[in-house]
Amino acid sequence: MQVNNKQHRFTKIGLVGSGLILGLMLSLTYSAVAEKMVKPQLPLDDLRAFAEVFGKIKTDYVETVEDKKLISEAISGMLTGLDPHSTYMDPDAFKDMQVATQGEFGGLGIEVGMEDGLVKVISPIEDSPAYTAGLKSGDLIVKLDDTPVKGMTLNDAVKRMRGKPDTQIVLTVVRKTETKPLKFTLTRAIIKSKSVKYKLTEPGYAYARVTQFQERTGEDLAKAIKTMHDENKGAFKGFILDLRNDPGGLLNGAVGVSAAFLPKGELVVYTEGRAPDSKMQLTAVPENYVRGGAANDYIRDLPADLKTVPMVVLINSGSASASEIVAGALQDHKRAAVLGTQSFGKGSVQTIMPMNNGAAIKLTTARYFTPKGRSIQAKGIVPDYIVEDGTDQSGAIHEADLSRHLSNPKDGEAKKPADTTNAAKEAAKEKLNEKKFAEPSAPIEPASKDDIQFIQAMNLLKGLPVIQSTPVVKAETPKTE
């Protein structure tokens, strides 16, 4: 199939995200690059060793194993050994992923990763069964129903958590801040994720929350802004963009959201990798965020005051990849003050490469950088104003906590991986042996009177004192030019 260069370039933009989202809301960069094949020099001695191991398994393993399974597992192991985000998707998983990018999918609604053989929650998707039940970033899933997670692959665990809508599964979770394990009984559902939520919090002050970056996120945000602007009957006094617990998604969606607030043509993000097509500079122009370019530009009719309205971006440890791109771009251009806690730190781009057998591989092909050349990888976005959400943050995880994470090319390792010593493992086992379970806590409603970070963002916009959790150099208060 042939496509014109502009359309092909747009397809290359794809998605970025963090981990693997239960129900296949995967974070990735979609790209039709299966046709582009290179012929590397094959390591013959190593391939002979592989063939020897393959033969021994076929003849001596305690049970008969199909060739297809052995090859599939070998491919999976080759990819997962690279970094936490490269993986192999069988044909069913690939089809589910394609459905997920449309914003509707089945499952529990958890973005997860693998750490030391166990499943770690990166972020629950808002309004999903997992979010409603109270799962949190950093939770360690140790049992699925009565089956221990230890020894499963991430794909195996995800498949067990999937199922028909209205069926139940019990997750046993170890939380760092709890002395006893938590048990969550979740009912599977078709997740219809609404990626943009919004409201006028009070006259003149607009609030928009992006829960994930999907195909229509930029367009939906533009509609939300117009609706709030009409309701306000005039220019905004302040704007809060909430990217907390946003695991990422489509990269062109991140560019479109950034472009809504930046002058046309400003650099939003650039990527660097080994392959020529992994080197991109994405600016705030329609060709980089909407199919059809200027003819379909959904931000062209936005009110002019949106480019200068005082603005705060909210982030936390669940803000990853595409959401970090937006926060970093607005922060670098001094367009917004960033408030909250340090973001997840996923600064790599994954490309989906369809295979001839109907499967696909998700391969890390590039790192991305903010307009000022900052790499977010294993470091994240550091807020201008550090404000915790009022709960214990010690259980939160970041990219740097994951095994085999890529290093930050600018600063080296940002911090050491999470504690995986024998003492930590024994402590987790002791928690599982407890007969009683702790009660899960309900999530804080965003933009409510209980939302400490939102309250401090409003104070910042109004010129009132901001109560910070950790003293930092005071950032510039956003001003209207």
Side-chain angles (χ1 to χ4, degrees):
M1 180 178 71
Q2 293 182 339
V3 294
N4 62 50
N5 291 334
K6 182 178 293 185
Q7 182 183 1
H8 184 64
R9 182 172 179 275
F10 184 86
T11 303
K12 291 283 187 183
I13 293 177
L15 306 111
V16 290
S18 175
L20 175 66
I21 297 177
L22 180 57
L24 274 291
M25 203 310 277
L26 297 173
S27 44
L28 32 88
T29 298
Y30 191 86
S31 175
V33 295
E35 307 272 329
K36 187 194 71 174
M37 299 293 291
V38 294
K39 294 183 179 179
Q41 194 70 28
L42 296 177
L44 296 180
D45 289 342
D46 292 330
L47 288 176
R48 289 190 186 99
F50 174 83
E52 184 177 0
V53 171
F54 184 92
K56 290 293 184 185
I57 294 173
K58 292 293 294 180
T59 58
D60 296 349
Y61 186 64
V62 65
E63 295 178 346
T64 301
V65 185
E66 293 182 357
D67 292 351
K68 183 177 181 180
K69 176 177 173 57
L70 286 177
I71 296 298
S72 177
E73 294 294 341
I75 295 172
S76 179
M78 181 165 51
L79 287 161
T80 56
L82 296 174
D83 63 71
H85 308 296
S86 295
T87 189
Y88 176 71
M89 291 180 286
D90 61 29
D92 289 338
F94 183 33
K95 289 177 184 176
D96 288 343
M97 178 276 300
Q98 292 170 304
V99 172
T101 61
Q102 306 298 320
E104 182 175 326
F105 50 93
L108 303 177
I110 317 173
E111 180 199 359
V112 295
M114 207 71 176
E115 177 66 23
D116 193 34
L118 295 173
V119 175
K120 269 191 173 180
V121 176
I122 293 175
S123 180
I125 299 172
E126 193 165 328
D127 293 334
S128 68
Y131 180 88
T132 304
L135 267 79
K136 294 183 178 180
S137 173
D139 284 349
L140 190 67
I141 301 174
V142 293
K143 277 188 179 181
L144 302 174
D145 287 327
D146 295 324
T147 305
V149 170
K150 192 73 173 180
M152 294 184 190
T153 65
L154 184 58
N155 283 340
D156 288 340
V158 168
K159 286 179 180 179
R160 282 180 176 268
M161 287 187 278
R162 291 186 211 136
K164 293 182 179 180
D166 299 323
T167 60
Q168 290 187 331
I169 184 171
V170 177
L171 306 186
T172 302
V173 168
V174 170
R175 183 174 291 168
K176 190 173 182 180
T177 57
E178 299 289 345
T179 58
K180 300 175 182 178
L182 302 170
K183 274 197 172 182
F184 297 86
T185 300
L186 304 181
T187 301
R188 299 178 178 93
I190 296 297
I191 310 297
K192 294 184 178 180
S193 181
K194 187 176 181 180
S195 68
V196 178
K197 301 181 178 183
Y198 62 94
K199 65 179 179 179
L200 282 177
T201 58
E202 57 183 80
Y205 292 93
Y207 169 88
R209 176 171 175 78
V210 179
T211 60
Q212 55 191 269
F213 288 87
Q214 301 171 353
E215 287 187 6
R216 294 179 57 86
T217 296
E219 185 175 354
D220 288 345
L221 178 62
K223 290 178 181 178
I225 291 169
K226 291 177 183 177
T227 298
M228 288 189 289
H229 202 269
D230 291 343
E231 184 181 341
N232 191 58
K233 295 181 172 58
F236 298 129
K237 296 177 183 178
F239 197 104
I240 296 176
L241 179 63
D242 190 349
L243 301 177
R244 292 173 297 177
N245 295 318
D246 182 333
L250 287 162
L251 178 55
N252 57 283
V255 176
V257 169
S258 301
F261 302 99
L262 293 173
K264 186 175 182 178
E266 290 282 9
L267 180 64
V268 174
V269 63
Y270 68 92
T271 64
E272 290 184 355
R274 291 199 302 156
D277 59 0
S278 67
K279 303 177 190 297
M280 297 188 294
Q281 288 202 355
L282 300 177
T283 56
V285 295
E287 288 74 18
N288 289 331
Y289 58 81
V290 63
R291 297 181 187 276
N296 297 323
D297 186 7
Y298 48 74
I299 69 172
R300 63 186 170 193
D301 297 326
L302 289 179
D305 60 278
L306 194 68
K307 302 291 186 181
T308 56
V309 61
M311 186 176 180
V312 176
V313 176
L314 296 178
I315 62 171
N316 63 6
S317 62
S319 306
S321 203
S323 55
E324 292 175 293
I325 288 174
V326 175
L330 297 178
Q331 188 180 52
D332 275 9
H333 288 297
K334 299 188 183 299
R335 179 61 192 87
V338 178
L339 186 148
T341 56
Q342 184 176 340
S343 63
F344 184 77
K346 182 182 178 295
S348 60
V349 178
Q350 281 66 50
T351 301
I352 296 298
M353 300 180 178
M355 301 287 107
N356 290 331
N357 65 351
I361 63 172
K362 175 162 72 89
L363 186 66
T364 300
T365 54
R367 289 181 173 92
Y368 67 75
F369 298 82
T370 70
K372 288 189 175 180
R374 291 184 293 159
S375 171
I376 298 167
Q377 176 59 28
K379 184 175 181 179
I381 296 292
V382 178
D384 301 307
Y385 294 85
I386 298 178
V387 178
E388 295 182 357
D389 64 6
T391 64
D392 194 324
Q393 298 287 313
S394 58
I397 62 168
H398 296 80
E399 173 83 5
D401 295 319
L402 303 180
S403 298
R404 300 181 304 277
H405 66 271
L406 295 178
S407 64
N408 186 298
K410 299 287 185 178
D411 304 318
E413 294 294 332
K415 64 178 181 179
K416 297 298 181 183
D419 182 11
T420 55
T421 61
N422 289 331
K425 295 174 186 176
E426 289 302 318
K429 288 180 181 178
E430 288 180 11
K431 289 181 180 180
L432 282 177
N433 291 329
E434 294 282 349
K435 294 182 179 180
K436 296 182 179 180
F437 295 87
E439 287 295 323
S441 58
I444 296 172
E445 179 67 24
S448 69
K449 61 181 178 59
D450 299 320
D451 187 345
I452 295 173
Q453 293 166 331
F454 166 75
I455 297 299
Q456 298 307 314
M458 288 293 291
N459 286 346
L460 178 58
L461 291 172
K462 294 177 179 180
L464 300 175
V466 175
I467 301 174
Q468 300 186 66
S469 304
T470 304
V472 294
V473 178
K474 189 177 186 302
E476 296 181 8
T477 301
K479 301 176 181 178
T480 302
E481 296 178 355

